[in-house]
Amino acid sequence: MHEPSHFLNPRLASGHGPGGAVWSVQATDGAARAGVLHTARGAIQTPVFMPVGTKGTVKALHPDEVHDVGGQILLGNSYHLHFRPGDELIRDLGGLHRFMSWNRPILTDSGGFQVFSLRDTIVKVDDEGVTFRSIYDGAAARFTPELAARIQTNLGSDIAMCLDHVPVPELARRELEDAVRRTTEWARGQRDATRADGQLRFGITQGGIDPELRRRSCEEIAELGFDGNAIGGLAIGEDRAATFETTDWAAELLPADKPRYFMGIGDPEGILEVIEAGIDMFDCVLPTRTARTGSALTNEGRLNLRNARFARDEAPLDASCDCPACARFSRAYIRHLINQNELLGLRLLSLHNLRFVIELTRGAREAIAAGGFATYKHERMERLTWAHS
Ligand SMILES: [Zn+2]
């Protein structure tokens, strides 16, 4: 659905790629790429925005609704599902797809990001793993590469991520170097661990914005030969220009014939920047989290629906959007719902924001195929930036 057909080769658009390739390229434009990612549960058109369903649900939405706004693959999270309801319980009930009734591809994060971003809960990090206290009940817990593999095998995801050491941006260089070294060692440990049938496994690079360490991490992780490679540890509070500059050259260091995943970006400008750098996949809670604060992502910038100026505004959230919210409801009505804490308001904004970033990404894919990505980016950015000023 929602896909232009003029450049799609139907043979590549379903099932496995030629010669068993995980990712096949269909068009490039500068460093930007349009391709197809082949998973056990179907093909994914890239670049792709992946909605986040941390605890086995994209907050407030039915899985069919996520699919209807163009969602091709969901994210689940090992940390949260391991503690509640438990990955073994999910395995016993037939795996995460069946548990949450989503029969399309799922990518699971390893839990590394959660452990390290909840830094007050960390007890000890060593070369074999990380010991911390669970945010659910404070009980001592330990994640190792082997456990990260086992949890994701139990969940049965289509793409499993390596456990990585995600350092905070202001960390001293020596500690950053330790994190890079550890991330490689953990990746080596997880690479050969048991995996679910047909499950792909992606490595993650670290190194912050440090040129030498990021380069080292990219080379070491690429060398391990994962099915895909991710850029982790960016967009976590460092200077935004440095994020994109680093992404530009770091993406190039990752194998060109495999999918590249930027972990944790989902604002419209950021999406266009990483696609331009040659990134194929990205995820973020931003569209749905922004929705729950009462704001809409639009071509006029971010609209805070609580604002009094929308009280009598009969226009849809975005005139160019075809989502279930924009098809029927006015800004005035959605503002009323949000101000009264009505659940429908949060649901409509969540659907709209997801549709907005998915549609932006689909437009980028089309532009890459037509050889006009630079123009597309420029035009979209101008509208977004104009709206902010
Ligand atoms: Zn909409």
Side-chain angles (χ1 to χ4, degrees), residues 50 81 83 99 112 168 194 250 265 322 329 365 369:
M50 306 186 285
L81 296 171
F83 290 114
F99 187 57
V168 294
T194 311
I265 205 152
D322 61 358
F329 304 102
R365 178 179 160 80

Side-chain angles (χ1 to χ4, degrees), residues 113-362:
F113 181 77
Q114 281 65 33
V115 172
F116 288 102
S117 59
L118 300 162
R119 62 180 121 156
D120 295 341
T121 66
I122 295 178
V123 177
K124 181 173 78 118
V125 192
D126 56 59
D127 288 354
E128 281 73 51
V130 51
T131 305
F132 59 97
R133 298 201 167 275
S134 154
I135 50 158
Y136 287 96
D137 56 11
R142 183 167 168 80
F143 273 11
T144 61
E146 295 72 26
L147 181 64
R150 192 156 74 239
I151 293 171
Q152 294 177 88
T153 300
N154 286 339
L155 296 173
S157 56
D158 303 281
I159 302 174
M161 300 303 298
C162 282
L163 184 68
D164 57 337
H165 184 165
V166 190
V168 294
E170 65 270 25
L171 213 60
R173 193 171 187 281
R174 232 198 85 234
E175 293 168 280
L176 188 60
E177 191 166 4
D178 271 350
V180 164
R181 181 180 54 78
R182 224 167 248 145
T183 295
T184 299
E185 278 186 27
W186 290 357
R188 194 174 288 124
Q190 195 172 336
R191 184 185 58 171
D192 303 318
T194 311
R195 60 174 86 182
D197 276 352
Q199 188 177 56
L200 304 174
R201 191 171 278 158
F202 282 21
I204 305 177
T205 65
Q206 289 291 338
I209 56 171
D210 184 292
E212 191 200 328
L213 294 179
R214 176 66 65 175
R215 170 178 290 274
R216 185 188 304 173
S217 187
C218 288
E219 288 169 357
E220 289 176 355
I221 295 298
E223 174 74 27
L224 290 173
F226 287 101
D227 299 309
N229 298 287
I231 294 179
L234 288 183
I236 54 172
E238 76 282 1
D239 172 67
R240 213 166 140 82
T243 308
F244 299 132
E245 197 199 311
T246 304
T247 308
D248 275 343
W249 57 258
E252 226 175 281
L253 296 173
L254 298 173
D257 60 344
K258 291 181 176 173
R260 300 173 182 145
Y261 168 20
F262 187 106
M263 306 183 80
I265 205 152
D267 65 289
E269 298 90 343
I271 284 175
L272 294 170
E273 292 287 356
V274 299
I275 290 175
E276 185 175 46
I279 296 293
D280 310 300
M281 310 158 69
F282 32 88
D283 73 286
C284 196
V285 293
L286 183 134
T288 44
R289 184 171 287 169
T290 301
R292 296 196 303 281
T293 66
S295 289
L297 305 173
T298 76
N299 281 307
E300 293 172 35
R302 215 171 282 196
L303 305 183
N304 177 357
L305 271 295
R306 294 180 198 277
N307 197 307
R309 75 184 164 107
F310 299 119
R312 291 169 178 277
D313 192 337
E314 290 190 283
L317 295 171
D318 188 300
S320 64
C321 181
D322 61 358
C323 84
C326 294
R328 287 178 61 171
F329 304 102
S330 65
R331 292 171 174 181
Y333 178 60
I334 294 172
R335 171 179 184 271
H336 160 68
L337 295 177
I338 293 296
N339 279 341
Q340 294 307 311
N341 295 319
E342 286 291 342
L343 297 178
L344 181 61
L346 304 182
R347 286 178 29 71
L348 291 175
L349 280 179
S350 296
L351 286 167
H352 167 78
N353 284 354
L354 277 185
R355 180 64 184 154
F356 187 78
V357 293
I358 287 169
E359 181 57 25
L360 179 76
T361 305
R362 190 201 58 79

